[in-house]
Amino acid sequence: MTKFDVRNANMTMRDRLVLALDVDSGREALHLATELKESVGLFKVGHQLFTAAGPDIVRRIVDMGCRVFLDLKYHDIPNTVAGASAEAVKLGVRMFNVHALGGIEMMKAAVQSAGETAEKLNTERPVVLAVTILTSTDERTLRRELKITRSLRREVCHLARLANRAGMDGVVASPQEITMVRRAVRNDFVVLTPGVRPAWANQDDQKRVMTPAEAVAAGADYIVIGRPILKAENPGEAVEKIIQEMSGQMKAEKAKDQKI
Ligand code: C5P
């Protein structure tokens, strides 16, 4: 997967669906990966699973032939982030991320180190994404705690442009931000979005949600979904329903039902 084919028009809805493996054991993660490896595009390994099961869980999922998005949101001095990025490449992940708030030099260090390591290993460089502002941060936190005085939307656009300038492949942004991020950056910029909830699922703690179909229509390349699949009685069925929703089939079917 190169930085260009991640936005390939031939990508299926399945390729675009990222399952957040937010579980507390390697065993559970492997069980889900085995069950759903043909059904989703990427498996996201985040802080909880990585802390519980270590880098070995990433190797094992990769060895099963699955694509992994390593969601560790690196934010440190450029030299340290460069080192961590090299290790992410060695693990064989297809995508990883850093915080845009780490600045241009840090983001450049991540992309450069990933590129050099991939070249040495004769493998493709993973997609490197920048997290703009976490969806759990609101305007009030931004202003009162972080003392960032511009609006949240303007700050997100600013950070997306910064990531663009640093040579990052794309950003992680909330569904509400997709349209304006798209306007602010180059065309082949990847947008991956969490905060997606199928119409039939509980919103949990996600506040500003969109449905899978809405997120894809707004221009998301990838959507990340966790609990609606993880907590479903039948995760495989939940995935299929989501893919149908992403394809807009549900809408079409509803329209058909209403006509009958
Ligand atoms: O269970 P749920 O679908 O809410 O999971 C969303 C996933 O996306 C979680 O792993 C969460 O850490 C991640 N995420 C998020 N909001 C962000 C960045 C990442 O929900 N802004």
Side-chain angles (χ1 to χ4, degrees):
M1 194 192 293
T2 65
K3 104 182 195 187
F4 297 106
D5 69 9
V6 286
R7 294 210 64 219
N8 188 327
N10 296 328
M11 249 190 351
T12 65
M13 290 302 160
R14 219 173 275 287
D15 294 333
R16 294 169 189 270
L17 179 59
V18 183
L19 172 61
L21 285 175
D22 292 331
V23 293
D24 61 8
S25 75
R27 213 176 60 128
E28 203 180 337
L30 287 175
H31 172 74
L32 282 160
T34 307
E35 196 181 332
L36 301 173
K37 64 181 281 196
E38 307 299 338
S39 310
V40 303
L42 289 109
F43 290 99
K44 182 172 90 67
V45 176
H47 289 291
Q48 183 184 12
L49 180 60
F50 194 83
T51 307
D56 196 48
I57 189 64
V58 177
R59 288 188 203 99
R60 293 184 68 178
I61 298 172
V62 169
D63 286 347
M64 287 170 61
C66 304
R67 294 173 167 187
V68 171
F69 165 27
L70 188 63
D71 180 22
L72 295 181
K73 303 182 182 71
Y74 300 134
H75 190 173
D76 211 313
I77 58 171
N79 185 57
T80 301
V81 168
S85 302
E87 298 307 323
V89 177
K90 291 185 206 163
L91 283 177
V93 306
R94 285 303 183 95
M95 201 180 260
F96 72 92
N97 57 5
V98 306
H99 269 288
L101 282 166
I104 286 198
E105 202 193 329
M106 190 206 78
M107 287 190 275
K108 276 186 176 169
V111 179
Q112 191 184 339
S113 167
E116 286 168 5
T117 311
E119 211 175 306
K120 264 190 227 151
L121 298 176
N122 198 20
T123 179
E124 276 170 301
R125 173 171 74 67
V127 173
V128 193
L129 301 179
V131 177
T132 52
I133 296 288
L134 291 173
T135 41
S136 50
T137 304
D138 58 12
E139 200 95 38
R140 194 185 152 92
T141 311
L142 204 69
R143 213 160 278 168
R144 296 220 175 150
E145 293 177 24
L146 306 178
K147 303 291 177 202
I148 294 175
T149 50
R150 56 156 73 91
S151 74
L152 200 143
R153 289 166 70 85
R154 289 190 66 188
E155 181 64 13
V156 166
C157 276
H158 165 68
L159 292 172
R161 280 195 204 97
L162 215 62
N164 198 12
R165 266 173 52 203
M168 302 287 290
D169 299 312
V171 286
V172 180
S174 95
Q176 274 78 8
E177 291 151 9
I178 301 170
T179 312
M180 60 177 198
V181 165
R182 281 255 165 267
R183 279 194 214 115
V185 294
R186 64 181 194 266
N187 279 342
D188 68 343
F189 217 53
V190 173
V191 178
L192 174 143
T193 183
V196 176
R197 282 293 178 269
W200 43 268
N202 194 316
Q203 285 201 10
D204 302 303
D205 56 352
Q206 295 285 12
K207 303 238 159 53
R208 297 171 298 143
V209 299
M210 268 193 191
T211 66
E214 285 167 347
V216 169
D221 297 299
Y222 292 92
I223 66 168
V224 177
I225 302 191
R227 285 163 289 181
I229 297 171
L230 302 177
K231 287 186 179 170
E233 236 168 73
N234 183 335
E237 243 171 47
V239 166
E240 294 312 316
K241 269 174 28 190
I242 289 167
I243 287 169
Q244 274 185 6
E245 239 186 270
M246 285 165 82
S247 313
Q249 285 174 9
M250 228 172 214
K251 258 193 201 159
E253 272 170 24
K254 266 191 196 150
K256 209 169 66 190
D257 286 346
Q258 277 162 2
K259 271 188 200 158
I260 293 171

